[in-house]
Amino acid sequence: MRGHEIRLEQVCVRFGAVTAVEPTDLTIEAGEFFSILGPSGCGKTTLLRVVSGFLSPSEGRVLIGGRDLTATGPAERPTAMIFQSLALFPQMTVWENVAFGLEARGVDKATRKRRAEELLALVALAEHAGKRPSELSGGQRQRVAIARALAVEPAVLLLDEPLSALDLKLRQHMRAELKAIQRRTGVTFIYITHDQGEALAMSDRIAVMSKGRIEQVATPDGLYATPATPFVATFVGEQNVAEGTIAAIDSGIATLDTPLGRLSGRLIGKAAAGARARLMVRPERLHHAAHVAPTPNTLSAAFARRDLEGPVEMLVFDLDGAQWSIHRQNHGETPRTGPVELAFATEDAMVFAEATP
Ligand SMILES: Nc1ncnc2c1ncn2[C@@H]1O[C@H](COP(=O)(O)OP(=O)(O)OP(=O)(O)O)[C@@H](O)[C@H]1O
Ligand SMILES: [Mg+2]
């Protein structure tokens, strides 16, 4: 089984006066694990329905495996889709649900059952093969849907938030499973999620969407280290943010006057002195001043609280009118309250100027 390339050319979707997807160009490579990440309502499902053929774009073309399939229905496309609200057949057993697509292809019953059992083992449901969907939990039903979509060996698998109903442990297990299945089969996966951890962990590349537009397409590392827009910078990972006015720009470094003092960071995009801008520092790049080399970026703060997350901890500090956080390894104790100096290196901060009208 080999995956196909997908190309969207100027694809746009309008529902009456609402533009759900702005004109979009996108190429997803054959065999790629490609995620679309974005908040609720940004157009992810709509874009996936266009690829599957369940929805015709208002404008533009959809090419799959080099063929223009814009006018081709879902049944004739080499795609399978796992829906956000999945629909299993309630009157069939679990294994019959998984094998459903194989019957139409003339596969005999014994082979269908064996194939279904292999796939059920893959999603850790082997002992539930004879049950009905109503006897399963929501997460188990979701895994049946994944097995069913894989049964027909599609060239492109479209997954719309397939793990959202699972608990954390199972989600992490399924992430690894899905990734392994994708690698083993070479099928192109388009994976929709609003969970950035999921997208970062599994994807070869990620498209970040906001309000019907793709803001950036990059590898997980690229997205995290060099976000192209303030939306991507704050949606993927966390940021400490200070707003201010650019006082100076020199060799790609912008210095801002902010209520927290004068702070410098790497300027992303273009700007001029006098522009309003936001400086952002990731919590793992912020430190106690005593622990880092001297830097012009120091802040007076007071320890507010500690949020333990297991192997790591988040220390929250009150600054003048703001709260900033340090993310670090779990030190096993709550720091003393009182004033502290925080600091970050200039190259660890990003500065985004506000778009000039
Ligand atoms: N059939 C439809 N008719 C009218 N508007 C629609 C239709 N389908 C989607 N929309 C609108 O298009 C926009 C994008 O919807 P879409 O379902 O693609 O969002 P999403 O990114 O998948 O969100 P979620 O994460 O909540 O699933 C929303 O504003 C939605 O209300
Ligand atoms: Mg959706």
Side-chain angles (χ1 to χ4, degrees), residues 15 20 39-46 84 161 194:
F15 297 111
S40 183
C42 72
K44 304 180 298 292
T45 296
T46 303
Q84 202 166 7
E161 312 219 19
H194 58 251

Side-chain angles (χ1 to χ4, degrees), residues 8 22 39 88-89 116-117 176 179-180 187 211 220 245-246 293 346 352:
L8 304 183
E22 302 278 355
L88 299 176
F89 303 112
E117 279 165 356
K179 179 98 183 162
V187 170
K211 297 179 184 158
T245 305
I246 297 181
T346 297
F352 294 93

Side-chain angles (χ1 to χ4, degrees), residues 157-295:
L157 188 59
L158 308 171
L159 304 103
D160 194 349
E161 312 219 19
L163 307 184
S164 52
L166 308 187
D167 64 52
L168 180 65
K169 278 273 179 229
L170 196 50
R171 210 156 62 222
Q172 285 170 342
H173 170 75
M174 286 302 299
R175 276 182 199 175
E177 284 295 352
L178 277 177
K179 179 98 183 162
I181 291 165
Q182 193 269 336
R183 284 280 173 271
R184 218 159 38 235
T185 56
V187 170
T188 309
F189 272 39
I190 307 182
Y191 190 94
I192 287 189
T193 180
H194 58 251
D195 179 337
Q196 41 140 332
E198 217 167 89
L200 291 172
M202 291 196 293
S203 316
D204 295 314
R205 286 191 307 154
I206 301 169
V208 180
M209 270 187 101
S210 168
K211 297 179 184 158
R213 286 191 41 218
I214 292 178
E215 296 230 346
Q216 187 172 7
V217 179
T219 62
D221 278 316
L223 213 55
Y224 195 78
T226 43
T229 68
F231 176 81
V232 175
T234 50
F235 191 74
V236 181
E238 298 191 34
Q239 300 281 4
N240 296 302
V241 181
E243 292 187 13
T245 305
I246 297 181
I249 299 172
D250 183 22
S251 314
I253 301 299
T255 301
L256 267 68
D257 284 321
T258 81
L260 308 180
R262 185 163 266 219
L263 303 172
S264 300
R266 287 182 291 125
L267 179 64
I268 314 292
K270 286 198 188 341
R276 295 289 297 168
R278 272 184 288 170
L279 177 138
M280 303 184 189
V281 187
R282 295 212 183 272
E284 70 272 24
R285 301 291 186 180
L286 183 66
H287 307 281
H288 284 98
H291 299 165
V292 292
T295 153

